[in-house]
Amino acid sequence: MTRSELKTVRGWAEEEGWNPGLHDCDTYYGTDPGGYLSGHVDGEMVAAISAVRYGEGFGFVGLYIVRPSFRGQGYGMRMWNAGLANLGTRVAGLDGVVQRQGDYRRSGFALAFRNMRYCGVTAPATARPDELVPLQSISFDALLRYDARMFPAERRTFLQGWINQAGSQGFVSRRDGGISGYGVIRPAASGYRIGPLFADDPETAEALFAALAGSVPTGQPLYLDLPEPNGQALQLAERHGMSLVFETARMYKGPAPELPLDRIYGITTFELG
């Protein structure tokens, strides 16, 4: 897939109601230019899938879409097979709609947990604790090391693009000379989305959430995707008046990575993990 085609697929994702970030595509494409596949009929692009490779051990499937008028004709299965082939023998993850779990199981995927999308409203800015500083003010390598504890693989190229997206804001929590959490908020098709939101404890997650929600215009839709097993993340969302609007099934083909879900208060993205 070309970069231009990926931007077209971003529009498809918006039509599907997935609310992609406005500037996600450049980060996505730069992470693995060979990880985006398109299907064509008579010269027209009608299907897409992403199968992004993070090193030699892990990959993630997303953006799996067939245009409505071309569904039910076998094109989706051809895209699916091509995407899995692109990942080779890597452990593969995905965030799929709950109704398709049976299909994914037949391809060797197993349910690990559910991710829940909550929606609320951005709030006025509040006083920011001294330990919260802008992301760009700290060492990128230090941030990368912290991020690698929360994700199945190092994602240097992805993270460099993600924290520098147009219109995004990010904060990191510093404690005892180290990092105790960080978060990013970015503009989306509707409102703003927080992701990731990683924190070593509920208090840090609360401070980061408030700083992020208060760093963008007030009164806009605000979205947070969180792993259901993190009860503190659920309480954070409910404490801020957010409501459940969508959920996905996080599934893996191969051994499920051991992630510290109690420190993951917001996943980065359903498309790339």
Side-chain angles (χ1 to χ4, degrees):
M1 198 186 298
T2 66
R3 189 184 297 267
S4 176
E5 286 174 329
L6 180 57
K7 290 183 178 180
T8 296
V9 174
R10 182 212 163 276
W12 294 358
E14 186 174 339
E15 292 173 8
E16 294 289 330
W18 298 350
N19 196 29
L22 293 183
H23 306 290
D24 288 354
C25 287
D26 286 337
T27 301
Y28 286 177
Y29 198 80
T31 300
D32 179 12
Y36 302 90
L37 309 178
S38 57
H40 300 252
V41 174
D42 296 330
E44 177 186 358
M45 185 171 66
V46 302
I49 195 168
S50 62
V52 171
R53 297 160 292 195
Y54 293 100
E56 297 301 317
F58 185 68
F60 205 84
V61 178
L63 291 172
Y64 181 30
I65 306 175
V66 178
R67 298 299 283 158
S69 60
F70 289 89
R71 293 173 184 172
Q73 302 176 52
Y75 299 128
M77 183 55 66
R78 291 172 68 178
M79 294 304 303
W80 175 255
N81 290 335
L84 291 189
N86 201 51
L87 295 182
T89 60
R90 294 170 178 83
V91 172
L94 62 80
D95 275 310
V97 295
V98 174
Q99 298 88 333
R100 296 293 301 276
Q101 285 185 67
D103 296 336
Y104 300 136
R105 284 197 186 95
R106 284 188 283 275
S107 291
F109 285 78
L111 178 67
F113 51 87
R114 295 192 301 169
N115 281 322
M116 323 296 285
R117 174 166 294 173
Y118 277 78
C119 178
V121 179
T122 58
T126 58
R128 199 167 67 229
D130 291 340
E131 63 266 22
L132 295 193
V133 297
L135 272 180
Q136 284 72 18
S137 68
I138 68 162
S139 159
F140 177 76
D141 284 341
L143 181 68
L144 183 65
R145 287 192 296 272
Y146 184 84
D147 183 82
R149 303 173 196 166
M150 311 295 179
F151 195 75
E154 183 186 274
R155 47 181 182 174
R156 176 180 293 271
T157 302
F158 171 86
L159 197 60
Q160 284 176 327
W162 194 253
I163 66 174
N164 291 297
Q165 275 198 45
S168 68
Q169 300 285 341
F171 297 98
V172 63
S173 176
R174 301 299 304 271
R175 184 183 303 156
D176 300 326
I179 295 175
S180 58
Y182 88 93
V184 176
I185 189 169
R186 70 194 194 282
S190 169
Y192 292 83
R193 291 179 59 178
I194 292 177
L197 178 56
F198 299 151
D200 291 353
D201 54 70
E203 293 75 23
T204 300
E206 176 70 32
L208 285 166
F209 181 93
L212 293 167
S215 69
V216 296
T218 303
Q220 297 297 307
L222 177 65
Y223 297 89
L224 176 68
D225 300 332
L226 57 88
E228 185 184 37
N230 187 339
Q232 293 288 346
L234 291 167
Q235 291 180 30
L236 183 151
E238 293 168 357
R239 194 161 56 245
H240 287 273
M242 305 182 85
S243 301
L244 179 65
V245 294
F246 185 64
E247 66 179 88
T248 67
R250 171 61 63 90
M251 306 182 76
Y252 294 102
K253 182 178 183 181
E258 294 185 8
L259 299 175
L261 295 181
D262 61 330
R263 297 161 69 192
I264 299 176
Y265 288 77
I267 68 163
T268 309
T269 161
F270 285 159
E271 290 74 36
L272 267 71

